Amino acid sequence: MQLGQYPPADHVIAHISDTHFLGGGRPLYGSIDTDANLARALAALEASKIDIDALVFTGDIADLGEPDAYGRVRGLVEPAAARMGAEVVWVMGNHDDRSAFRAELLGAVGADQVVDVRPDDVSPIDRVIDLGGLRVIALDTSVPGYHHGELTDAQLDWLRQQLSVGAPNGTILALHHPPVPSPVAYMQVLELQRQHELAEVIRGSDIRTILGGHLHYSTHGLFAGIPVAVAAATCYTMDVSAPESTLVGRDGGQSITLVHVYADQVVHSIVPLGDFPVVARFDTDFTRRLEAADTVELREYYAKQQG
């Protein structure tokens, strides 16, 4: 039922980032249960009953690129995605290993995403995924052995070629290093380099939003006239309010983002992860009235409740 001015979204994406799994089930930094955090995120999405088109993971799937870490992530994600009827889109991060990423994650993706999985292939992992007319371009900004981001000339040429033809419902660009400034000083040395080159390629294209990770806190910005949304990590978060000369990670504030794609705009909504107390519910009498009401009755009911 359409209650307001906007019809339901054409597409819904769950944007998840920075799971940072370690091999052998080891807790991150000796205390963070990365498995439980990701499981909580997936359970929240399933419980929502929202019709989700895809789960997009914007990098740092594993903390050290260990093969069994990727296997454990897949073991949690793929069954949940299958139950939700959602595609899974994996994006490379600076902590990921390209060979293990290819072998452990991309060797079992859907038929429309299969890539040439060769253990000795360490080239960038750039892919295009079609979600019923909505194009998702996964762009590998990682630099093996380093934590900052870069794009090669060949990658920029490839991206330019992909964008030369528009998609029916537009394009979402998913990458790990977001092209936005960070107020956390030490994160600035880990940013995407030569961003002006990327801006030249994507400005005026059909890219509707850019999804990023890497920063471990949720933030938003604008790049080349395109909205940028960064999902906070599911493992731990950076304290943006910490003193400028420090870099403080906290086991708290983890979240994921729901991306609702409408005909004329894209809306990003943060979903906190945690067992928080319920202080109010509005799904009893109001819900029953919605099921039975026509538009006039609904407006009268709503006005009465407000008045």
Side-chain angles (χ1 to χ4, degrees):
M1 179 182 294
Q2 181 178 330
L3 303 180
Q5 301 177 57
Y6 298 98
D10 297 320
H11 301 276
V12 182
I13 289 173
H15 179 194
I16 305 170
S17 201
D18 293 86
T19 53
H20 281 269
F21 274 40
L22 286 169
R26 307 193 311 276
L28 189 62
Y29 294 125
S31 62
I32 299 173
D33 191 340
T34 55
D35 300 57
N37 288 352
L38 178 56
R40 183 178 294 116
L42 296 170
L45 291 173
E46 285 197 73
S48 75
K49 304 300 182 183
I50 296 172
D51 187 8
I52 296 173
D53 295 272
L55 311 178
V56 177
F57 289 79
T58 50
D60 283 359
I61 313 303
D63 189 63
L64 298 175
E66 298 160 293
D68 65 314
Y70 291 118
R72 223 166 63 253
V73 173
R74 269 186 52 197
L76 286 172
V77 172
E78 290 183 351
R83 290 190 295 268
M84 288 185 278
E87 293 276 355
V88 181
V89 179
W90 305 107
V91 181
M92 271 285 300
N94 55 282
H95 279 262
D96 290 309
D97 177 85
R98 285 176 178 168
S99 294
F101 189 100
R102 277 189 167 92
E104 302 299 327
L105 293 181
L106 301 188
V109 297
D112 62 333
Q113 298 185 44
V114 169
V115 296
D116 183 11
V117 179
R118 292 172 292 168
D120 60 341
D121 186 359
V122 293
S123 62
I125 302 174
D126 302 321
R127 299 182 299 133
V128 178
I129 300 93
D130 176 63
L131 301 175
L134 176 66
R135 178 171 56 185
V136 177
I137 297 180
L139 196 60
D140 182 354
T141 56
S142 68
V143 182
Y146 296 88
H147 292 297
H148 70 279
E150 286 184 10
L151 292 167
T152 66
D153 291 340
Q155 285 180 284
L156 292 170
D157 289 342
W158 174 85
L159 179 60
R160 185 180 292 108
Q161 181 181 10
Q162 298 301 318
L163 295 174
S164 65
V165 178
N169 295 328
T171 298
I172 289 179
L173 181 63
L175 42 70
H176 184 61
H177 298 81
V180 291
S182 173
V184 180
Y186 287 154
M187 294 301 292
Q188 297 171 13
V189 300
L190 309 178
E191 66 187 10
L192 179 66
Q193 301 296 308
R194 294 161 34 206
Q195 294 182 18
H196 66 283
E197 297 177 345
L198 175 61
E200 290 173 1
V201 173
I202 68 174
R203 184 176 284 110
S205 71
D206 73 339
I207 295 177
R208 304 183 60 187
T209 190
I210 300 172
L211 306 182
H214 187 51
L215 300 181
H216 287 239
Y217 62 88
S218 181
T219 191
H220 300 77
L222 200 66
F223 179 74
I226 302 169
V228 179
V230 180
T234 61
C235 59
Y236 69 91
T237 60
M238 286 296 176
D239 186 350
V240 183
S241 66
E244 186 175 354
S245 60
T246 63
L247 191 63
V248 179
R250 298 188 184 278
D251 186 5
Q254 293 92 337
S255 65
I256 60 176
T257 303
L258 284 174
V259 184
H260 286 74
V261 181
Y262 296 87
D264 59 350
Q265 61 178 294
V266 180
V267 176
H268 304 265
S269 304
I270 297 171
V271 181
L273 302 179
D275 297 322
F276 306 113
V278 176
V279 296
R281 295 188 70 95
F282 306 99
D283 58 356
T284 53
D285 181 58
F286 184 67
T287 300
R288 289 194 295 271
R289 290 298 298 262
L290 286 182
E291 293 173 349
D294 63 23
T295 304
V296 175
E297 290 176 334
L298 178 58
R299 289 175 179 169
E300 291 177 350
Y301 176 79
Y302 184 76
K304 187 179 298 183
Q305 298 304 307
Q306 297 296 307

